[in-house]
Amino acid sequence: AVICEHIIRHYTEGWADGFRYDIEYWEIWNEPDAQTDELRHTSSQWQGTRVQFFEFYKVAAQHLKKCFPHLKIGGPAVAGLRPDWLAGFFTKLKENGIVPDFFSWHRYDKNPRRLVEKVRYARELLDQYGFTETESNLNEWNYVRGWTGDDWVYSLKSEKNIKGASFIAAV
């Protein structure tokens, strides 16, 4: 948490020969839920368990909000809106009195309507756990037909052509 504090100070307050950028949003972690289970970690994003992440997030969020009440502290940029993972995360936030300024998440799809449904679902989840003032922030998304083989090659090509542009515009 102190390392994160100093990173923020470096980029927003000029600390350690840094900068004075007007960065309002500070996201704690990236895709901590991208794991197959608690024992075998497939994500390079978070290598610990859920319980360890929940504790890490608690410590970082509390410390950063205390140091920077004027900034928006949130995250954790989940890879999916997995109800089981989010139930544990949101429950721990409530138990610890943490109300994130924003909840960030990612979604890839081939159907813009499904993505819009996920936007609604994210809001419903936040409201269900009492985070009615927490912003829902879909901050990574794109067209993906599939993650393997020919579907993945097709997805990568489509992201850079009219199909991908149409998908972005539709969303």
Side-chain angles (χ1 to χ4, degrees):
V2 173
I3 291 170
C4 295
E5 171 195 346
H6 288 136
I7 290 170
I8 294 172
R9 290 195 191 288
H10 178 77
Y11 282 98
T12 64
E13 298 175 355
W15 178 80
D17 200 26
F19 309 92
R20 295 194 179 277
Y21 298 138
D22 185 22
I23 304 172
E24 182 179 10
Y25 287 78
W26 291 89
E27 184 174 73
I28 300 172
W29 216 257
N30 184 63
E31 299 188 353
D33 61 324
Q35 303 173 356
T36 54
D37 57 44
E38 291 297 324
L39 302 175
R40 195 182 92 201
H41 309 294
T42 60
S43 169
S44 61
Q45 307 298 318
W46 179 260
Q47 295 300 307
T49 66
R50 290 178 197 201
V51 172
Q52 289 169 329
F53 178 77
F54 299 160
E55 179 65 17
F56 166 78
Y57 189 95
K58 175 188 88 161
V59 170
Q62 288 174 332
H63 181 75
L64 295 176
K65 201 59 187 175
K66 180 180 172 187
C67 293
F68 308 103
H70 60 290
L71 297 178
K72 293 193 178 192
I73 308 296
V78 293
L81 296 173
R82 296 173 177 88
D84 61 324
W85 197 93
L86 291 172
F89 179 65
F90 290 149
T91 298
K92 283 295 181 189
L93 290 179
K94 285 189 67 108
E95 287 175 4
N96 292 297
I98 297 168
V99 178
D101 294 311
F102 66 95
F103 166 67
S104 55
W105 53 284
H106 303 161
R107 176 68 185 189
Y108 293 83
D109 210 310
K110 60 185 176 184
N111 183 332
R113 287 188 184 108
R114 276 200 303 259
L115 206 112
V116 171
E117 289 169 8
K118 293 296 182 181
V119 168
R120 290 186 185 113
Y121 178 64
R123 179 75 265 154
E124 289 169 8
L125 276 175
L126 288 165
D127 292 349
Q128 174 186 338
Y129 285 92
F131 300 118
T132 57
E133 300 300 314
T134 298
E135 295 176 28
S136 175
N137 189 330
L138 171 59
N139 64 4
E140 184 179 311
W141 55 281
N142 211 330
Y143 175 88
V144 171
R145 184 169 80 180
W147 294 99
T148 59
D150 291 341
D151 282 345
W152 179 239
V153 173
Y154 180 84
S155 298
L156 292 174
K157 289 179 181 177
S158 296
E159 288 177 359
K160 297 173 182 73
N161 66 26
I162 193 70
K163 184 177 192 94
S166 298
F167 178 83
I168 298 285
V171 172

